[in-house]
Amino acid sequence: MKKFNAVITGVGSWVPDYILDNQEISTMVDTSDEWIMTRIGVKERRILKGEGAGTSTLAANAIKNLLDKTGVKPDEIDLVICATSTPDHRFPSTASIAAEKCGIKNAFSFDLSAACCGFLYGMDVVAGFVRSGMYKKVILIGAEKMSSMTDYTDRSTCPIFGDAGAAVLFEPTEEEVGYMDATLHTDGIGYSHLMMKAGGSVLPASHETVDKGLHFIYQEGQVVFKYAVSKMSDASVEIMKRNNLTKDDISWFVPHQANMRIIDAAAKRMGLSKDKVMINIEHYGNTSAATLPLCLAEWEPRLKKGDNIIFAAFGAGFTWGASYMKWGYDGSETK
Ligand code: UT7
């Protein structure tokens, strides 16, 4: 029997036009560009506006961009997975809505809920489907309308988050490229430190939950920060050691974009210089499950076949981990 690996063969992305910069944030809450830049590293973020526009809008536009760039037809797609914490609805899945918007009719589709680690976990899930030999073209999306659950009167959270969608195409390969290894973790100790308190089955929406502001992101920043620094760094170093990769072997590090200081700490532990680290937090903020593929989309023209790439993320749950991929194509040749 032939042995397949799963490899990314295309990347697409889409962000809304509206730019919410630190100047405007400073008119909403008591903060400053200086505080936000030094403590978080965000200058501006994109916000999805418009009636009826939700996460599926971001996801569908990212898929369209991906299909346009790769030349793949909607009816060739076998499976669509959308990693998100901000689905259009509790049900049906945002993946099914986005697929419909793109004319994808021959695929099954579902959402994956793992907060900021959704895309990182999703790559492992997709690799399993593709390696089975049953699925030839699988789309994995990271899409989030974070503005839909951000409290713009809370200065400790509102400068952090932004909206975006990005998608990748996975296909089987018999070459020595693709998804190589991952170390993925969850520890429920994070439950109370980073969450949305109401709107789920434990505390359904009511007048009281709305009045108390329980439908916004709740984050104990300092606690989350400490876990994020140590766990994301530990996982990244572990995946390097396990695959005998030195800092010189690594072409790119793709970290979750939650805080510039967390990214710096992880890169330092790995011994990497900044020119090998994909960083776009300044322009998009924390787009949760969308951060990793959004970085890939921006850096795609510079990626070369055989590049060793390390991904790492940390998020609510707590969820965290790192993965290792050998890039499958020369990005400079894509349109
Ligand atoms: O993506 C999922 C995982 N999430 C993360 O990885 C996020 C991890 N956490 C963080 O990135 C940081 O903890 C934050 C960016 C959320 C906060 O930064 P911090 O350095 O931990 O600030 P802090 O919460 O310790 O607050 C320090 C001070 C406080 O004032 P006092 O009590 O020292 O007088 C805050 O009230 O900064 C104040 N503060 C602000 N000041 C100006 C908090 N937010 C702001 C603000 N502007 N926007």
Side-chain angles (χ1 to χ4, degrees), residues 31 35 39 116 155 219 221-222 224 256 258-259 261-262 286:
T31 191
W35 194 94
R39 304 308 295 170
C116 296
R155 71 174 184 172
Q219 174 170 253
Q222 284 186 13
V224 179
H256 175 47
N259 187 310
R261 291 179 288 145
I262 299 173
N286 181 348

Side-chain angles (χ1 to χ4, degrees), residues 2-72:
K2 276 184 185 168
K3 228 172 161 220
F4 300 104
N5 195 7
V7 66
I8 290 178
T9 55
V11 187
S13 68
W14 191 82
V15 293
D17 290 335
Y18 191 85
I19 296 174
L20 174 59
D21 61 17
N22 289 348
Q23 171 71 30
E24 191 179 349
I25 287 263
S26 305
T27 66
M28 301 161 123
V29 289
D30 181 15
T31 191
S32 64
D33 176 62
E34 204 253 328
W35 194 94
I36 300 171
M37 279 307 287
T38 49
R39 304 308 295 170
I40 314 173
V42 184
K43 195 106 204 136
E44 58 193 27
R45 54 309 269 149
R46 300 299 178 108
I47 304 295
L48 181 63
K49 301 208 174 202
E51 208 177 313
T55 294
S56 70
T57 311
L58 302 159
N61 281 313
I63 294 174
K64 282 175 190 166
N65 181 237
L66 172 68
L67 296 180
D68 180 49
K69 284 169 68 182
T70 55
V72 171

Side-chain angles (χ1 to χ4, degrees), residues 1 36 39 42 60 100 104 110 113 290 303:
M1 209 172 102
I36 300 171
R39 304 308 295 170
V42 184
E100 172 64 20
I104 296 173
F110 60 89
S113 168
L303 299 179

Side-chain angles (χ1 to χ4, degrees), residues 251-255 257 260 263-264 267 272-279 299:
S251 315
W252 298 101
F253 176 44
V254 193
Q257 314 279 309
M260 203 46 233
I263 297 172
D264 282 342
L272 294 180
S273 55
K274 235 178 179 163
D275 57 329
K276 287 186 171 184
V277 187
M278 296 189 192
I279 302 167
W299 266 262

Side-chain angles (χ1 to χ4, degrees), residues 16-160:
D17 290 335
Y18 191 85
I19 296 174
L20 174 59
D21 61 17
N22 289 348
Q23 171 71 30
E24 191 179 349
I25 287 263
S26 305
T27 66
M28 301 161 123
V29 289
D30 181 15
T31 191
S32 64
D33 176 62
E34 204 253 328
W35 194 94
I36 300 171
M37 279 307 287
T38 49
R39 304 308 295 170
I40 314 173
V42 184
K43 195 106 204 136
E44 58 193 27
R45 54 309 269 149
R46 300 299 178 108
I47 304 295
L48 181 63
K49 301 208 174 202
E51 208 177 313
T55 294
S56 70
T57 311
L58 302 159
N61 281 313
I63 294 174
K64 282 175 190 166
N65 181 237
L66 172 68
L67 296 180
D68 180 49
K69 284 169 68 182
T70 55
V72 171
K73 301 274 172 293
D75 58 11
E76 294 178 67
I77 303 299
D78 302 308
L79 166 60
V80 178
I81 300 177
C82 183
T84 188
S85 300
T86 57
D88 282 16
H89 304 280
R90 292 270 292 272
F91 70 91
S93 72
T94 298
S96 65
I97 302 168
E100 172 64 20
K101 284 180 176 173
C102 298
I104 296 173
K105 295 283 189 188
N106 296 330
F108 70 109
S109 54
F110 60 89
D111 289 354
L112 191 155
S113 168
C116 296
C117 280
F119 187 84
L120 185 81
Y121 283 15
M123 287 195 288
D124 211 80
V125 172
V126 170
F129 275 104
V130 172
R131 284 171 185 157
S132 77
M134 288 177 66
Y135 306 99
K136 305 276 183 271
K137 287 187 167 46
V138 178
I139 290 179
L140 175 63
I141 311 151
E144 305 275 16
K145 187 182 173 186
M146 296 304 284
S147 62
S148 67
M149 57 177 183
T150 300
D151 179 358
Y152 289 98
T153 65
D154 175 13
R155 71 174 184 172
S156 70
T157 52
C158 77
I160 301 172

Side-chain angles (χ1 to χ4, degrees), residues 198-199 203-211 215:
L203 193 54
S206 66
H207 287 291
E208 196 190 345
T209 61
V210 172
D211 290 344
H215 295 272

